[in-house]
Amino acid sequence: MFTSAFRLTRIILTVLRFRLDALIPFDKLPWYLRYTLGLLCQLGRKRAIQNRGERLRLALESLGPIFVKFGQILSTRRDLLDDDIADELAKLQDKVPAFSGKTAQAIIERDLKAPVSELFAEFSATPLASASIAQVHTATLHSGEEVVVKVIRPNIEKTIRQDIGLLYTLAHFIAKSSSDGRRLRPVEVVTDYEYTILDELDLAKEAANTGLLQRNFTDSELLYVPQVYWDYCQKNVMVMERISGIPVADIKALNAAGTNMKCLAERGVEIFFTQVFSHSFFHADMHPGNIFVDVSNPEKPKYIAIDCAIMGSLDDADKNYLARNLLAFFQRDYRLVAELHVESGWVPKETPVHAFESAIRSVCEPMFAKPLKDISFGQVLIGLFQTARRFNMEVQPQLVLLEKTLLNIEGLGRQLYPDLDLWVTAKPFLERWMHQQVGPKRLFEEVRKQAPEWAGQMPKIPNLIFSALSQASHQEERMQSHTAAIVELSKEVKKTRRGLPFRLLGLVSLGTAWLTINPEALKHLQSADMLSISLFIVGLYLLILKP
């Protein structure tokens, strides 16, 4: 708690220091917060920097990697930000202040257990790029391949855990403060983000992710993933092929190379939906600093993806639900959208579907009045999110990465090609995928997947048949034996009924049944001992019947 309070104090001081009051919507705050914050922000008036975007960038850099990540995400949303802020935040992609090359060399030698001179023919102590979690150095292997060496920042885990602790404190406060806060499920969202960002600190996992993504796009015309050199990969160090390409955010260079920007933007959307729906494994950190373009064939440009630390996946149920929902949006079937939300449990089961449908229509229909190319999927989500508050819709943590990535893709696509029609690009892909889920090809795939298991059971079938027939034969013999026992018991009852206390005999019969019934058989009555059940019935009969 002390650490979180200290960190919160630092955030407040950073806001004051960099005069971020210019970004606060004071007119929407309660009067007491408006005047308090206004008074406090006077302390930062002497700050020389006048550009609000630069102030925000420097503030995020000073607060550390979690806040830099936040700025990276924002930088792709030019439809939501003014140009001066977006331009400054774009500098966060690969221009975070570097740490010492000597420190990087020491980390490499510690993890790979050999001097740099033995590991590489050449190694540059000057970093090629520096990001929030790690930085990259160029090198050459003794075999001649040019590579890049990625090194985790020293002591970064401590800072991240402090920030995560603060986020948990804020999340618990939000969850307890209002029903609106509980609906957002902030604690679950922070937990999901904690898992994601801590994974970024393990470069061995990133190497494995890179290898899988590379296999998924082997010989693909859409995306190239660099080769990993496994002998040089540990938790804090990763070595991979050095790629050459134009940064996807360098629009001038792409245009100068004669790049088909429409094709490039549409391919980005296709790559995203291929990863999500075909591979169930998608790059969830696709900001411009992690994407390059191979323009060797400018009419059919090819993406190059790096930094596979943050990857996402969806199960079949989530994919099916997502595809149906998106198609319903495309087709303006608001009734189906409302029903899907109720069916999936995203809104309470008692939600009146017709009222929810009407609310969704009121948000989406005005947007569809514009040309499709001018519709922002991000704006649709924001509108729906605001509308759903009335219906207690909960945030789904498992889809946070997907939503963030989709927003990044749309922002990047519009930056490359302002006339990008995300709806038209995605709709045929989704329809094709849905058809595959219910068509004969899907049935054949399921049969193919189950074939090895079925084949493994085939040799057992004769024994299973013989065993079943034997059990049936034994069961028939036992039934005959039980029937004879019941007849004998009835005779004995008739003989002793007048000489023994009637109810005592009933209790003895019930007790005998209780002791002889196998407790496990009670769970499966079809295999219970028939004699025990018979004794139970006879005892019950004797208790009820009058002498």
Side-chain angles (χ1 to χ4, degrees):
M1 181 61 71
F2 176 78
T3 301
S4 297
F6 177 80
R7 186 65 168 157
L8 181 59
T9 301
R10 184 185 171 191
I11 292 173
I12 294 173
L13 292 176
T14 300
V15 170
L16 299 178
R17 177 188 173 196
F18 291 96
R19 279 199 50 215
L20 298 186
D21 56 300
L23 304 175
I24 298 175
F26 279 89
D27 57 319
K28 297 181 180 180
L29 296 177
W31 68 268
Y32 52 89
L33 283 180
R34 187 162 60 245
Y35 286 107
T36 302
L37 289 176
L39 180 62
L40 289 175
C41 287
Q42 293 297 323
L43 300 174
R45 292 295 179 186
K46 293 182 180 181
R47 186 71 184 171
I49 299 173
Q50 298 299 317
N51 186 310
R52 59 177 183 167
E54 186 177 358
R55 294 200 303 272
L56 178 59
R57 174 177 62 82
L58 292 174
L60 294 176
E61 285 181 356
S62 70
L63 289 172
I66 287 185
F67 297 90
V68 169
K69 283 288 180 187
F70 178 69
Q72 289 173 348
I73 295 171
L74 281 180
S75 70
T76 64
R77 299 301 294 154
R78 288 183 174 269
D79 56 322
L80 303 177
L81 299 175
D82 293 332
D83 288 340
D84 62 324
I85 295 177
D87 290 340
E88 282 296 328
L89 293 184
K91 297 178 181 178
L92 291 172
Q93 309 298 353
D94 57 359
K95 296 182 180 179
V96 178
F99 58 91
S100 166
K102 291 183 178 180
T103 302
Q105 183 172 327
I107 294 173
I108 294 170
E109 293 179 345
R110 182 195 67 201
D111 269 38
L112 299 185
K113 297 179 174 55
V116 166
S117 58
E118 290 184 11
L119 296 168
F120 308 105
E122 296 179 9
F123 177 81
S124 174
T126 303
L128 176 67
S130 182
S132 55
I133 302 295
Q135 68 184 32
V136 174
H137 295 257
T138 59
T140 304
L141 298 179
H142 288 290
S143 53
E145 293 98 330
E146 292 187 351
V147 297
V148 292
V149 185
K150 188 171 183 178
V151 186
I152 293 290
R153 286 181 173 273
N155 303 318
I156 190 66
E157 184 171 353
K158 179 180 178 181
T159 303
I160 287 178
R161 290 193 181 277
Q162 287 178 351
D163 286 344
I164 291 292
L166 174 61
L167 290 176
Y168 270 119
T169 300
L170 295 175
H172 283 293
F173 175 77
I174 292 171
K176 293 178 181 178
S177 62
S178 67
S179 58
D180 225 18
R182 287 188 293 275
R183 178 184 60 80
L184 296 176
R185 297 167 68 181
V187 177
E188 289 88 340
V189 172
V190 173
T191 300
D192 186 70
Y193 187 63
E194 177 186 22
Y195 175 81
T196 300
I197 197 166
L198 290 179
D199 263 3
E200 281 200 78
L201 302 179
D202 190 344
L203 293 182
K205 289 184 179 180
E206 180 179 342
N209 291 339
T210 304
L212 178 55
L213 187 64
Q214 183 186 43
R215 290 197 300 275
N216 287 343
F217 283 92
T218 300
D219 299 325
S220 170
E221 293 296 323
L222 302 175
L223 180 68
Y224 180 80
V225 182
Q227 178 184 350
V228 174
Y229 292 88
W230 297 101
D231 292 340
Y232 301 87
C233 294
Q234 293 295 330
K235 181 177 181 180
N236 295 296
V237 180
M238 173 183 171
V239 176
M240 59 190 298
E241 172 190 0
R242 184 177 182 181
I243 53 94
S244 60
I246 299 175
V248 73
D250 194 345
I251 306 298
K252 290 183 179 180
L254 291 172
N255 285 325
T259 308
N260 185 332
M261 303 299 277
K262 181 176 184 293
C263 176
L264 183 62
E266 291 176 347
R267 283 189 164 195
V269 176
E270 185 177 352
I271 288 170
F272 169 75
F273 282 99
T274 298
Q275 290 180 91
V276 172
F277 290 102
S278 296
H279 302 156
S280 298
F281 186 74
F282 61 92
H283 196 307
D285 196 20
M286 297 185 71
H287 63 75
N290 290 338
I291 306 173
F292 296 82
V293 181
D294 177 3
V295 292
S296 55
N297 183 354
E299 276 303 313
K300 294 183 178 180
K302 189 173 185 176
Y303 283 91
I304 305 172
I306 61 173
D307 195 353
C308 299
I310 303 178
M311 306 297 291
S313 63
L314 298 178
D315 60 25
D316 288 340
D318 284 334
K319 287 191 296 184
N320 186 277
Y321 168 78
L322 181 66
R324 292 171 67 193
N325 231 317
L326 290 175
L327 285 173
F329 274 123
F330 293 147
Q331 297 162 358
R332 305 192 201 184
D333 189 346
Y334 307 122
R335 178 76 178 189
L336 179 57
V337 173
E339 290 174 347
L340 286 171
H341 276 72
V342 175
E343 175 186 319
S344 66
W346 284 26
V347 295
K349 295 295 183 183
E350 63 273 12
T351 299
V353 174
H354 66 281
F356 193 28
E357 174 193 1
S358 177
I360 294 173
R361 180 182 292 106
S362 66
V363 173
C364 295
E365 201 61 27
M367 295 184 181
F368 279 107
K370 300 185 293 185
L372 286 177
K373 67 180 182 63
D374 295 333
I375 298 175
S376 167
F377 185 72
Q379 293 289 356
V380 171
L381 287 180
I382 292 172
L384 287 174
F385 182 78
Q386 293 171 343
T387 302
R389 287 181 180 176
R390 293 195 285 120
F391 298 90
N392 298 316
M393 189 174 83
E394 294 185 345
V395 174
Q396 301 300 308
Q398 76 273 19
L399 296 180
V400 169
L401 280 179
L402 179 74
E403 293 170 355
K404 185 203 80 169
T405 306
L406 182 55
L407 291 174
N408 283 356
I409 290 295
E410 183 185 29
L412 178 61
R414 293 282 171 83
Q415 189 176 349
L416 294 171
Y417 184 68
D419 290 334
L420 172 68
D421 192 335
L422 182 69
W423 308 92
V424 171
T425 306
K427 183 178 178 182
F429 189 96
L430 292 172
E431 289 177 335
R432 184 168 59 251
W433 183 83
M434 287 297 296
H435 177 72
Q436 292 172 351
Q437 300 310 297
V438 297
K441 183 177 180 180
R442 176 68 175 182
L443 178 61
F444 176 78
E445 285 295 322
E446 289 298 321
V447 172
R448 184 180 63 81
K449 289 179 182 178
Q450 297 295 330
E453 182 178 347
W454 295 343
Q457 297 296 326
M458 289 293 289
K460 301 178 182 179
I461 290 179
N463 289 335
L464 292 174
I465 294 175
F466 178 79
S467 177
L469 293 175
S470 298
Q471 288 181 10
S473 177
H474 291 320
Q475 185 74 8
E476 183 178 358
E477 293 175 0
R478 290 174 66 190
M479 285 294 293
Q480 293 175 353
S481 174
H482 295 163
T483 302
I486 292 173
V487 170
E488 292 298 322
L489 180 63
S490 299
K491 292 179 180 179
E492 292 298 322
V493 168
K494 289 180 181 179
K495 292 178 181 179
T496 59
R497 224 179 121 182
R498 293 176 183 175
L500 292 175
F502 174 75
R503 297 189 183 279
L504 179 61
L505 179 60
L507 289 172
V508 170
S509 297
L510 286 176
T512 304
W514 176 259
L515 292 174
T516 55
I517 290 178
N518 184 348
E520 289 298 319
L522 290 175
K523 300 177 182 178
H524 308 282
L525 287 178
Q526 65 273 19
S527 63
D529 188 90
M530 293 301 296
L531 177 60
S532 300
I533 296 176
S534 301
L535 288 171
F536 180 84
I537 295 172
V538 170
L540 188 62
Y541 171 79
L542 291 174
L543 279 177
I544 297 174
L545 188 66
K546 293 183 179 180

